[in-house]
């Protein structure tokens, strides 16, 4: 399998010494930076810029034909969005300051600052990636469309907040930076991770592991693998999940429960982009993108000293929050139909009809277990159902509500409503009060559900109930 070039744009190395270009290329490739172009004639820079997708130029200051200063000036005028790092054989403060004033991203001395140069190049890559992601996000916002809607087909929703999550994932799809997915248990964080992997079009697989409860040794062995003889019983080498996810995505679920010692190892992996299999003193490059998820409140755990602040800030480079089901009740009817079909197929039964009041009943429930809880409700109801229409009793039991005729399905009246001809007709106000009271009884005094039963907003119903109480006082 051919490795995916990193970063997503090319880095142009410009120096009149081919030996230095070769040496710098090898150094960068050992750091996992592989999308490189080399140029030993500064006059060719303009042609390369026209025909290649270049996001960073590393430019020698002293060259024949066109000096680095001249090339920098041209780049600032023609390609202002491209970062430029200047290299010089001499440590000259005035020259460095002059280049920075002209718009260079940074300035380094060739022979004395290799570690600083590598950090500066990584920083410039990250800045350029963030700039490109921001541009992509602005385009998404302007066009309000999805470029790859098929990647999100498994997520049943019409809610605007979820649509915004999809658009954001598309905008950061090509980034190698981690994604932090937060949300309550059961909201579908793994589905979001799968969609993020699909939309990234990475060549490797999605590898998933739940890290909750893993001690430090098991965590290290699971992710990093081990060499033969690394510990008792290690009779052969075993690749870790990072290696298995090469050119793909590594999804770490329940990251908020990771032990402090394992947090340090994960932080090093994200910062350095490399890891050591157990028993090995040779570093391996991480060629997988990392996505993490948690139901924990990471800022709160950080304040309690249970989650590292530096790891939290590293993870939240890209962050999405999945709202709970109670905040997107419009999705409940869609999910209900979806799980009804799945459950009937899995159990080998014909899908029963849905009671008219079921969706409204469920929309008045808080769903502490979110989508996972709704799915379990539907499967349980299908497994117990013996009628052509799905019964409500199993749902009511799961919601902690005793079955009652007041909230049972209503049989449509076959005759008109009867008014006693010897009595005066009630006023519209009186009819409205009776309707509100009937809805409150059927909804077991749940105002949100009662409001849906009669087609008004919950604040409007609350206001009317308050007027009724004030009138009785």
């Amino acid at each position: 399998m051919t490795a995916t070039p990193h970063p997503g744009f090319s880095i142009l190395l410009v120096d009149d010494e081919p030996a230095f270009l070769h040496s710098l290329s090898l150094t960068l490739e050992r750091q996992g930076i592989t999308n490189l172009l080399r140029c030993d004639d500064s006059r060719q820079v303009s042609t390369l810029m026209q025909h290649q997708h270049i996001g960073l130029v590393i430019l020698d200051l002293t060259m024949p034909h066109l000096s680095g200063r001249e090339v920098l000036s041209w780049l600032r005028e023609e390609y202002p969005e491209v970062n430029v790092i200047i290299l010089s054989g001499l440590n000259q403060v005035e020259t460095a300051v002059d280049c920075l004033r002209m718009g260079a991203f940074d300035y380094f001395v060739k022979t004395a600052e290799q570690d600083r140069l590598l950090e500066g190049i990584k920083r410039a890559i990250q800045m350029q990636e963030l700039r490109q992601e921001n541009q992509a996000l602005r385009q998404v916002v302007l066009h309000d469309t999805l470029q790859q809607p098929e990647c999100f087909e498994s997520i049943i929703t019409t809610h605007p907040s979820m649509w915004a999550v999809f658009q954001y994932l598309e905008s950061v799809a090509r980034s190698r930076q981690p994604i932090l997915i937060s949300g309550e248990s059961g909201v579908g964080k793994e589905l979001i991770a799968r969609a993020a992997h699909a939309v990234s079009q990475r060549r490797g697989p999605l590898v998933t592991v739940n890290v909750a409860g893993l001690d430090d040794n098991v965590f290290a062995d699971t992710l990093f693998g081990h060499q033969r003889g690394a510990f008792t019983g290690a009779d052969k080498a075993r690749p870790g999940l990072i290696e298995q996810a090469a050119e793909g995505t590594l999804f770490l679920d329940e990251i908020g429960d990771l032990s402090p010692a394992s947090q340090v190892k994960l932080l090093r992996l994200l910062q350095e982009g490399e890891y050591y299999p157990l028993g090995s003193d040779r570093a391996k490059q991480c060629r997988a993108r990392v996505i993490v998820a948690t139901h924990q409140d990471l800022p709160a755990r950080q304040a309690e000293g249970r989650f590292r602040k530096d790891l939290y800030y590293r993870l939240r480079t890209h962050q999405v929050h999945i709202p709970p089901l109670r905040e997107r009740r419009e999705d409940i009817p869609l999910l209900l139909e979806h799980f009804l079909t799945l459950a009937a197929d899995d159990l080998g039964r014909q899908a029963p009809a849905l009671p008219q009041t079921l969706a409204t009943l469920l929309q008045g429930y808080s769903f502490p277990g979110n989508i996972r809880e709704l799915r379990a409700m539907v499967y349980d109801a299908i497994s117990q159902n013996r009628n052509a229409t799905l019964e409500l009793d199993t749902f009511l039991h799961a919601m902690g509500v005793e079955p009652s005729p007041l909230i049972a399905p209503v049989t449509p009246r076959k005759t008109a409503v009867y008014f006693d001809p010897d009595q005066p007709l009630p006023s519209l106000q009186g009819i409205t009060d009776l309707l509100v009271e009937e809805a409150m009884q059927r909804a077991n005094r749940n105002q949100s559900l009662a409001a849906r039963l009669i087609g008004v907003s919950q604040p409007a119903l609350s206001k009317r109930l308050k007027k009724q109480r004030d009138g009785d006082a």
Side-chain angles (χ1 to χ4, degrees):
M1 181 183 293
T2 304
T4 303
H6 171 64
F9 51 83
S10 296
I11 299 174
L12 177 60
L13 313 180
V14 186
D15 196 295
D16 63 310
E17 300 178 18
F20 178 78
L21 286 176
H22 180 69
S23 173
L24 180 57
S25 297
L26 291 177
T27 300
L28 293 176
E29 287 169 354
R30 282 194 292 267
Q31 297 294 315
I33 302 171
T34 58
N35 197 350
L36 304 174
L37 299 172
R38 289 186 281 185
C39 174
D40 57 10
D41 186 338
S42 56
R43 293 172 296 182
Q44 298 176 0
V45 170
S46 61
T47 302
L48 289 169
M49 293 297 297
Q50 291 173 20
H51 295 94
Q52 302 290 334
H53 176 43
I54 296 171
L56 172 63
V57 177
I58 301 175
L59 184 62
D60 183 30
L61 190 62
T62 306
M63 295 181 292
H65 310 302
L66 293 174
S67 69
R69 192 189 302 267
E70 291 174 304
V71 176
L72 171 62
S73 177
W74 178 80
L75 285 170
R76 289 298 83 204
E77 183 175 344
E78 297 295 329
Y79 298 92
E81 74 284 358
V82 174
N83 288 334
V84 181
I85 291 178
I86 296 294
L87 297 181
S88 175
L90 301 175
N91 188 359
Q92 298 175 329
V93 175
E94 291 184 2
T95 302
V97 171
D98 187 40
C99 288
L100 294 175
R101 283 176 176 170
M102 292 175 65
F105 181 83
D106 216 332
Y107 179 101
F108 296 99
V109 178
K110 282 185 180 180
T111 56
E113 301 181 301
Q114 187 174 77
D115 290 342
R116 286 190 61 239
L117 171 61
L118 290 174
E119 289 303 314
I121 291 173
K122 291 178 181 178
R123 190 167 60 251
I125 290 172
Q126 185 174 5
M127 289 290 293
Q128 190 68 5
E129 286 178 336
L130 289 174
R131 179 184 292 124
Q132 292 184 359
E133 287 158 16
N134 286 336
Q135 291 173 349
L137 187 57
R138 283 197 296 270
Q139 289 300 313
V140 166
V141 172
L142 286 174
H143 295 290
D144 195 29
T145 58
L146 292 176
Q147 301 300 313
Q148 302 179 67
E150 67 279 1
C151 295
F152 305 97
E153 287 179 349
S154 62
I155 304 172
I156 309 301
T157 183
T158 59
H159 199 272
S161 64
M162 295 300 295
W163 185 265
V165 167
F166 300 163
Q167 291 179 316
Y168 180 76
L169 290 177
E170 281 198 336
S171 71
V172 301
R174 299 308 177 96
S175 171
R176 288 171 58 96
Q177 299 301 314
I179 299 176
L180 170 60
I181 305 171
S182 61
E184 296 178 6
S185 294
V187 294
K189 296 187 289 294
E190 184 170 348
L191 283 178
I192 294 295
R194 292 183 180 279
H197 170 70
V199 80
S200 72
Q201 298 183 348
R202 295 184 65 82
R203 300 174 184 176
L206 172 69
V207 177
T208 299
V209 58
N210 189 318
V211 300
L214 298 184
D215 65 30
D216 185 48
N217 290 330
V218 175
F219 174 80
D221 188 31
T222 300
L223 261 66
F224 306 145
H226 62 255
Q227 296 291 98
R228 182 168 180 250
F231 50 83
T232 303
D235 54 354
K236 61 180 180 180
R238 184 178 74 87
L241 296 184
I242 295 175
E243 188 170 342
Q244 294 179 35
E247 308 303 330
T249 303
L250 178 65
F251 175 48
L252 306 179
D253 201 3
E254 301 298 352
I255 197 70
D257 298 315
L258 200 60
S259 70
S262 296
Q263 291 178 32
V264 175
K265 289 181 169 62
L266 179 59
L267 177 63
R268 174 178 172 79
L269 173 70
L270 296 175
Q271 285 183 332
E272 307 297 331
E274 61 184 25
Y275 64 97
Y276 291 86
L278 297 182
S280 173
D281 58 359
R282 296 185 61 183
K284 287 189 172 184
Q285 290 295 319
C286 175
R287 295 185 291 122
R289 187 188 196 179
V290 176
I291 298 178
V292 302
T294 182
H295 72 280
Q296 301 279 9
D297 184 345
L298 290 189
R301 291 180 73 83
Q302 174 191 308
E304 296 166 358
R306 301 170 66 185
F307 200 85
R308 293 181 64 96
K309 181 184 296 186
D310 46 5
L311 176 58
Y312 172 64
Y313 288 126
R314 176 67 65 171
L315 290 174
R316 62 167 294 178
T317 303
H318 303 307
Q319 182 175 7
V320 294
H321 178 73
I322 311 306
L325 186 55
R326 62 182 173 273
E327 293 180 8
R328 45 188 178 106
R329 299 181 192 273
E330 301 92 331
D331 288 342
I332 290 176
L334 295 174
L335 290 165
L336 184 59
E337 292 275 3
H338 176 68
F339 291 139
L340 177 71
T341 302
L342 287 183
D345 289 345
D346 287 350
L347 297 173
R349 298 186 178 187
Q350 184 174 356
L354 289 174
Q356 292 182 357
T357 56
L358 178 56
T360 304
L361 178 70
L362 294 175
Q363 286 177 321
Y365 179 58
S366 61
F367 279 102
N370 291 291
I371 298 173
R372 186 183 295 129
E373 183 180 8
L374 175 59
R375 184 182 188 277
M377 280 185 180
V378 175
Y379 270 72
D380 188 37
I382 292 291
S383 65
Q384 298 185 48
N385 190 70
R386 296 294 181 270
N387 299 320
T389 299
L390 192 62
E391 297 178 357
L392 291 180
D393 287 3
T394 52
F395 291 94
L396 295 171
H397 179 72
M399 295 163 62
V401 178
E402 289 299 322
S404 165
L406 295 174
I407 50 178
V410 181
T411 302
R413 295 180 183 269
K414 296 183 179 179
T415 60
V417 177
Y418 176 77
F419 293 102
D420 188 342
D422 296 328
Q423 298 293 329
L425 288 171
S427 66
L428 286 176
Q429 180 64 46
I431 287 289
T432 302
D433 291 343
L434 291 172
L435 179 64
V436 168
E437 181 56 27
E438 178 69 12
M440 289 294 288
Q441 288 185 22
R442 293 190 183 190
N444 205 23
R445 314 310 295 180
N446 183 311
Q447 288 191 21
S448 296
L449 177 55
R452 287 183 172 87
L453 288 174
I454 59 176
V456 299
S457 67
Q458 192 275 332
L461 177 61
S462 179
K463 184 177 179 181
R464 184 168 292 278
L465 290 170
K466 183 176 183 302
K467 281 185 178 180
Q468 289 180 1
R469 290 193 299 269
D470 292 345
D472 294 338

